[in-house]
Amino acid sequence: MASWRRILGGAAAALTAAAMGTVLQAAPAGASPASGDGIVSPSVVGGSQAAQGEFPFMVRLSMGCGGALYSPTIVLTAAHCVSRTGTNTSITATMGVVDLNSSSKITRKSNYVYRAPGYNGSGKDWALIRLSSPVTGLATLPIATNTTYDTGTFTVAGWGAAREGGAQQRYLLKATVPFVDDATCNSSAMYDGEVIPSDEICAGLVQGGVDTCQGDSGGPMFRRDAANAWIQVGIVSWGEGCARPNKPGVYTQVSYFASAIQSAASSLGG
């Protein structure tokens, strides 16, 4: 399943450039997919540009992933975006802007990474990155602690590719995707039993056309709660290609791991 992950492992340098603010143009029409088997990772396909300040909790990570500001010192992302638990000062987090080239962007270096215990490439796809100093003036994104909000229509956002095999984006894109129930997502027409019902949640259109894509890994899937505030229900994890018919995005089901995430964040001082 590793080849389905929504990160461009072979293009890490380009992704780092994007996160550090270098302008990356969209790939020309007809560009080939990133991997030889045609299976690539996620960015937002079929989306539109987010407004400045619309999603202040969004984070771009220098290894080519996304994330969400869980607390002023903690970023929640995907386990497959990081290599291990331990001291790590190599990751740069960029926040506070839609345009990665903006002079108003906020950046922080990492000082520690916590990867979900037992992660082996299938399920348990979450991780925490502790920042070297707190971020002030930006809203954080609360996580769902039960399944109340695990259905309905969700919002996804990221700086990943706007089409399968495309380049990373300079501007944050957003889209909405509907929930797909476990039985449908695991049917022979879709993922044929590959999805882990307890760990993962599917979202996307049966006809395709809207999805996360390569470079969106680790970013949040979120919706409004009963108080009309944003709440995170998923983490961009994997999918077959981007926005293909009958291949919705597969996301880490945050509510299932909420207590473990909260406990780990607390241990990191967040």
Side-chain angles (χ1 to χ4, degrees), residues 172-186:
L172 181 67
L173 298 180
K174 64 176 181 177
T176 56
V177 287
F179 170 73
V180 177
D181 66 82
D182 292 335
T184 302
C185 200
N186 255 337

Side-chain angles (χ1 to χ4, degrees), residues 216-242:
D216 287 328
S217 276
M221 180 169 72
F222 46 99
R223 54 159 289 174
R224 297 289 188 177
D225 65 11
N228 203 37
W230 291 120
I231 189 167
Q232 182 170 358
V233 298
I235 300 168
V236 179
S237 185
W238 62 278
E240 186 173 341
C242 304

Side-chain angles (χ1 to χ4, degrees), residues 27-259:
S32 58
S35 60
D37 60 4
I39 294 174
V40 296
S41 314
S43 129
V44 176
V45 178
S48 59
Q49 189 173 315
Q52 177 60 36
E54 188 173 4
F55 308 123
F57 44 77
M58 289 297 301
V59 179
R60 181 64 176 170
L61 298 169
S62 56
M63 80 288 277
C65 281
L69 203 59
Y70 172 88
S71 78
T73 56
I74 301 287
V75 174
L76 177 60
T77 188
H80 75 268
C81 288
V82 298
S83 58
R84 61 180 181 85
T85 294
T87 300
N88 185 321
T89 59
S90 68
I91 301 167
T92 300
T94 300
M95 300 156 284
V97 293
V98 166
D99 178 3
L100 291 176
N101 286 12
S102 171
S103 58
S104 356
K105 65 187 176 186
I106 298 167
T107 60
R108 291 288 189 277
K109 281 290 193 180
S110 60
N111 64 18
Y112 195 86
V113 166
Y114 182 95
R115 190 165 76 164
Y119 172 73
N120 63 4
S122 180
K124 302 183 179 68
D125 196 10
W126 65 271
L128 301 176
I129 296 172
R130 188 173 65 193
L131 305 176
S132 56
S133 62
V135 177
T136 57
L138 292 181
T140 57
L141 182 60
I143 63 171
T145 56
N146 57 59
T147 60
T148 301
Y149 301 110
D150 287 352
T151 59
T153 301
F154 309 118
T155 298
V156 290
W159 288 270
R163 65 178 183 80
E164 187 171 323
Q168 304 302 283
Q169 302 296 298
R170 170 179 172 178
Y171 297 97
L172 181 67
L173 298 180
K174 64 176 181 177
T176 56
V177 287
F179 170 73
V180 177
D181 66 82
D182 292 335
T184 302
C185 200
N186 255 337
S187 68
S188 58
M190 291 191 176
Y191 286 117
D192 199 20
E194 294 284 353
V195 176
I196 305 170
S198 62
D199 286 27
E200 298 172 328
I201 182 170
C202 300
L205 301 170
V206 172
Q207 68 269 30
V210 181
D211 196 7
T212 45
C213 198
Q214 66 260 17
D216 287 328
S217 276
M221 180 169 72
F222 46 99
R223 54 159 289 174
R224 297 289 188 177
D225 65 11
N228 203 37
W230 291 120
I231 189 167
Q232 182 170 358
V233 298
I235 300 168
V236 179
S237 185
W238 62 278
E240 186 173 341
C242 304
R244 297 181 185 180
N246 290 313
K247 298 296 179 186
V250 184
Y251 301 80
T252 303
Q253 193 161 350
V254 169
S255 61
Y256 183 77
F257 297 105
S259 60

